[in-house]
Amino acid sequence: MKFGILGSGYIATKMAEAVKGLEKMGYGVEAYAVASRDLAKARKFADENGFAKAYGSYEDLANDKEVNLIYVATPHSHHFENAKMCIEHGKNLLVEKAFCGNAKQATVLIALAEEKGVFLQEAMWTRFLPAVKTIRQWIDAGRIGQVESVEADFSQPLTHVQRLVDPALAGGALLDLGIYSLTFADLFLGDAITHIDSKCVKYSSGVDASDWINITYQNGQKAYLKTSITSAWHNEGAIYGTKGSIRVENLNDMVKLEVFDSTGTLVESVTPERLVNCYEFEVLACKEALERGPRKVSSGTSSKTVWECPEMPHTKTFEMMDLMDGLRANWGVSYPFEISPGATWDRSGDKSILQIYDVASESVRTLHEFDCVIEAPNWSSDGKFLTYNSNGRIYKLDLERDAAGALTAGAITEVPSYYCDNCNNDHVLAPDGTGLYVSHHTKEDGLSRIYKIFFDGRMPKLVTPLGPSYLHGITPDGKTLAYCAERNGEYDIYTIPAVGGNESRLTTAKGLNDGPEYDASGEYIWFNSVRTGRMQAFRMKADGSEQTQMTDDLHWNTWFPHISPDKKQVVMVCYTEEDVRPGEHVPNKNVEVRLMTRDNPAGKNDASEWSTPKTILKLFGGQGTINVNSWSPDSRQFAFVSYRKKIDITSWIASAKASQ
């Protein structure tokens, strides 16, 4: 295996040492080439580390047909652009941790690697160490009883390292050191996370300097984690069980393992094996994976090719990046190459345009413009009005016809909801015409719960005492509701009698399962799920059986599939992979509205009868555009909302001056 290194900094020298060691020991690895943006620097690196070739640009290395695997050793702020370039050149990659600057970048690279059919692996060397196997064997053998908690602290005084305090280089403690503490917990606990309590102290530049992360898992286990680039050196982990504990010296390379009994007495001490410096184990794992080749993973009616190491699959890479994104969002830490969560969700001054799309004529008609945010139009079964939410309340817009017979907007009235004054965009009309079921965030804890509100002014009725519960569907007879709910850290689809009662869980796939909606016969529920690593549309029988993937797009995330009353069409909103993480649907994005049709309406209604989705609209929207079913009763039209951002006069003037 001819090994190339992209970058020539400190971490590159560590990898070069491992590769050269494997070469000398006859493991079938060759120290082949190194690339730097400075040819002289590349030549110096090659000479000092025994590499055969030196390149003065990264692209020159990617163009070398002889290289079998390229290790990306640049700062993690540059991993995305460097790895993307290499993948587009068809090169197999080992990318240093942290894999990217954020989860959005990670999904782009993973999807691109799948599309190009190349090997892609995150270089989290800890997961490849023989020490990990030893610890797991001790745990499985009951040496410390049932594992209850983990502690980990990786701290070093590193503020003198410029890249670690520079936001533009994705600096801070979390991505550089904290990933090891998070990995240590994940290796030996790894159940679904139900709660995270965290805080950070920021450095003067705005990056996170010291982080404390406490995690609670579904099985009751706990992780107490710390990392810092300002604290004194500390690099240690511990696993506590009912009968003893395991101490690990150095979280990253695990240089020493110790087992203690319940009295704190040392029972066994092990110094794990190493061939060179422990980077070699991930190199050998990559060599084995390259020799083994890619594998196909099937889901429902689709399949994809995945080429990775089992020690660190793509799903785990994304999971860890997504976890770190969530922590940074909670701390208010973002990088210049990102749009901060606050900016993404800033909808102050937005205008909303309520529109109707006619399927047959492929035309759009504007019903009304609002000087505020409105969301999720829902068409009444008699075709006489639309409902929508705005500022926590639900409104009713009457539909009229002009002289030419075209629909126009009539009177707008607020639906009485009393204390249900914080409704989100998850609402459905009751089939009997008495009112709506809404998702309202209660004042006590801020969690969304389902209530029924009435057109005639009756007081709301609570349906789901448990929260959070986000409503999306109702059976044609109005007797059962379908909704997304978080229970014990997992978001799944549930049903409940419309009058209240016991809820039933329909999905168990890992990750977010959302947007459940019954078809007009009540036979199927359409929904969206992130279970394949990308948010896609799915369908299942009303009892939860026959869960089948209906869309498969490597580069887009599909949300809220809405089936028409005649059961022949499904409309959905799609985000590009670069705009959102697979599990999020946010506002203020350029999105596509897509339509898929049932090609054989007289057939068995299986997945193969549905067409590939076709883009019918491109608009500025996202959250609120079509969160609920907005089909007209005759299935000829659907309503949607697009948005127009307020004009930032300061930015506009600056832009105008620059253009002059």
Side-chain angles (χ1 to χ4, degrees), residues 9-12 73-79 96-98 156 158-177 180 203 205 207-208 229 335:
Y10 170 77
I11 201 70
T74 52
H76 36 246
S77 55
H78 292 59
H79 287 178
E96 180 55 35
K97 65 85 201 157
Q156 298 180 42
L158 294 171
T159 54
H160 62 282
V161 180
Q162 181 56 34
R163 72 171 181 86
L164 291 178
V165 296
D166 188 348
L169 296 178
L174 183 65
L175 266 62
D176 204 75
L177 301 181
Y180 287 113
Y203 193 66
S205 62
V207 302
D208 60 300
I229 56 172
Y335 308 128

Side-chain angles (χ1 to χ4, degrees), residues 585-625:
H585 55 100
V586 298
N588 300 331
K589 296 293 182 182
N590 291 314
V591 297
E592 293 188 358
V593 176
R594 294 180 178 174
L595 183 74
M596 62 188 300
T597 57
R598 189 175 167 202
D599 294 334
N600 183 16
K604 298 179 180 179
N605 197 15
D606 61 28
S608 64
E609 295 176 4
W610 287 88
S611 69
T612 300
K614 177 183 71 171
T615 298
I616 56 174
L617 291 168
K618 295 182 180 182
L619 54 89
F620 185 72
Q623 170 85 311
T625 292

Side-chain angles (χ1 to χ4, degrees), residues 3 66 154 320 370 444 482 489 580:
F3 196 95
E66 294 296 313
F154 195 2
M320 300 305 287
F370 299 81
E444 291 76 14
V580 297

Side-chain angles (χ1 to χ4, degrees), residues 17 23 47 49 217 292:
E17 179 186 354
E23 182 182 77
D47 291 342
N49 294 279
Y217 296 85
R292 185 172 56 244

Side-chain angles (χ1 to χ4, degrees), residues 35-188:
S36 172
R37 290 172 295 183
D38 183 325
L39 181 57
K41 190 174 180 180
R43 285 173 174 165
K44 183 175 184 292
F45 185 99
D47 291 342
E48 291 177 349
N49 294 279
F51 276 64
K53 289 190 175 184
Y55 290 110
S57 79
Y58 299 152
E59 192 162 5
D60 286 345
L61 176 63
N63 280 322
D64 189 327
K65 296 180 180 180
E66 294 296 313
V67 67
N68 302 120
L69 179 67
I70 294 176
Y71 169 63
V72 177
T74 52
H76 36 246
S77 55
H78 292 59
H79 287 178
F80 176 73
E81 60 183 90
N82 298 152
K84 187 171 184 287
M85 181 272 294
C86 289
I87 294 172
E88 288 171 343
H89 281 72
K91 290 304 182 185
N92 301 315
L93 287 182
L94 176 62
V95 182
E96 180 55 35
K97 65 85 201 157
F99 187 68
C100 286
N102 56 43
K104 293 176 189 176
Q105 293 180 343
T107 59
V108 173
L109 293 183
I110 291 169
L112 186 61
E114 292 175 6
E115 180 183 355
K116 298 292 186 180
V118 302
F119 173 78
L120 178 64
Q121 183 61 52
E122 181 176 3
M124 172 43 77
W125 62 321
T126 305
R127 292 184 181 269
F128 298 85
L129 300 178
V132 172
K133 183 178 180 181
T134 299
I135 295 171
R136 284 176 170 162
Q137 288 174 340
W138 285 347
I139 293 173
D140 292 343
R143 297 285 297 274
I144 61 170
Q146 294 295 317
V147 174
E148 295 183 318
S149 65
V150 157
E151 291 180 358
D153 182 356
F154 195 2
S155 300
Q156 298 180 42
L158 294 171
T159 54
H160 62 282
V161 180
Q162 181 56 34
R163 72 171 181 86
L164 291 178
V165 296
D166 188 348
L169 296 178
L174 183 65
L175 266 62
D176 204 75
L177 301 181
I179 182 62
Y180 287 113
S181 296
L182 291 170
T183 295
F184 189 77
D186 184 76
L187 281 169
F188 306 117

